[in-house]
Amino acid sequence: MTLKPSSFLASSVSTISGTVSNLNNELLEYVNPEKPTHDHSSVYYQRFFVSKFNLDDRAIEARFSTPILIQDGDTVSVSGYPKSDRFQVLAYTNQTQQVSRHENWIVLGLGALFFLAIAVGLLNSELVAVGALVPKLFLLGFVGVAIYMGYRALLIREAISLLQN
């Protein structure tokens, strides 16, 4: 097992390599509360594929929008961060199957820019200048979402670059 810490984001993102064991795949499905009772279209469902496994002696959890492509006995490198008692995966490379996957950091970055643009537009509104409380709360919320999405995009990008080294 090897562990390489990140240099860009302090020690937030690191890489672990090893052999997969005790693989357990799950599907989390969230239903939009506004879904009509008679419509079973996939538009109203958000699916997350959760894989829990051991990489040598470490507990790993990978949560992606597509199923993770690993099997028991595969040699895998994962990049992510520790979260409670597990290592949360942001990107992975399966050397056995020659597969590499990660979430789309570009979409997160564009989403962050979108929310930041809304916040700037709201900042220039007359209601914020007058001192109304609700627009200030919306402004704070949009800036918070933009910062989170930007930070998450940077984490995923850093995880990808650690796996490529």
Side-chain angles (χ1 to χ4, degrees):
M1 179 172 82
T2 52
L3 183 68
K4 296 188 300 187
S6 165
S7 58
F8 176 66
L9 295 170
S11 62
S12 298
V13 180
S14 58
T15 301
I16 300 173
S17 297
T19 304
V20 176
S21 62
N22 300 329
L23 178 63
N24 180 18
N25 292 317
E26 300 173 9
L27 174 67
L28 291 180
E29 204 167 54
Y30 297 103
V31 180
N32 186 343
E34 297 176 2
K35 176 186 140 350
T37 55
H38 64 280
D39 190 355
H40 298 292
S41 171
S42 65
V43 172
Y44 299 105
Y45 296 94
Q46 177 68 36
R47 290 178 177 89
F48 294 100
F49 297 91
V50 180
S51 296
K52 296 177 183 177
F53 56 94
N54 290 335
L55 204 55
D56 292 338
D57 60 344
R58 299 272 314 253
I60 309 291
E61 181 175 315
R63 188 178 298 230
F64 288 95
S65 57
T66 58
I68 189 167
L69 301 173
I70 63 170
Q71 296 177 353
D72 280 329
D74 286 354
T75 303
V76 176
S77 294
V78 296
S79 187
Y81 56 92
K83 183 178 180 183
S84 63
D85 64 337
R86 296 191 176 271
F87 187 81
Q88 187 66 45
V89 177
L90 294 171
Y92 70 94
T93 300
N94 185 338
Q95 289 90 7
T96 305
Q97 298 181 23
Q98 300 298 313
V99 176
S100 184
R101 295 272 195 270
H102 56 82
E103 288 294 335
N104 197 340
W105 63 274
I106 296 172
V107 172
L108 277 172
L110 291 174
L113 290 175
F114 174 74
F115 279 101
L116 197 57
I118 292 173
V120 168
L122 191 58
L123 183 63
N124 291 328
S125 74
E126 192 172 316
L127 289 172
V128 172
V130 177
L133 179 64
V134 173
K136 286 183 179 178
L137 291 175
F138 275 108
L139 176 68
L140 185 62
F142 282 124
V143 168
V145 169
I147 290 171
Y148 173 76
M149 289 178 79
Y151 177 71
R152 188 81 180 167
L154 286 174
L155 279 177
I156 293 170
R157 183 64 200 127
E158 183 70 13
I160 295 166
S161 68
L162 279 175
L163 287 176
Q164 292 172 347
N165 291 338

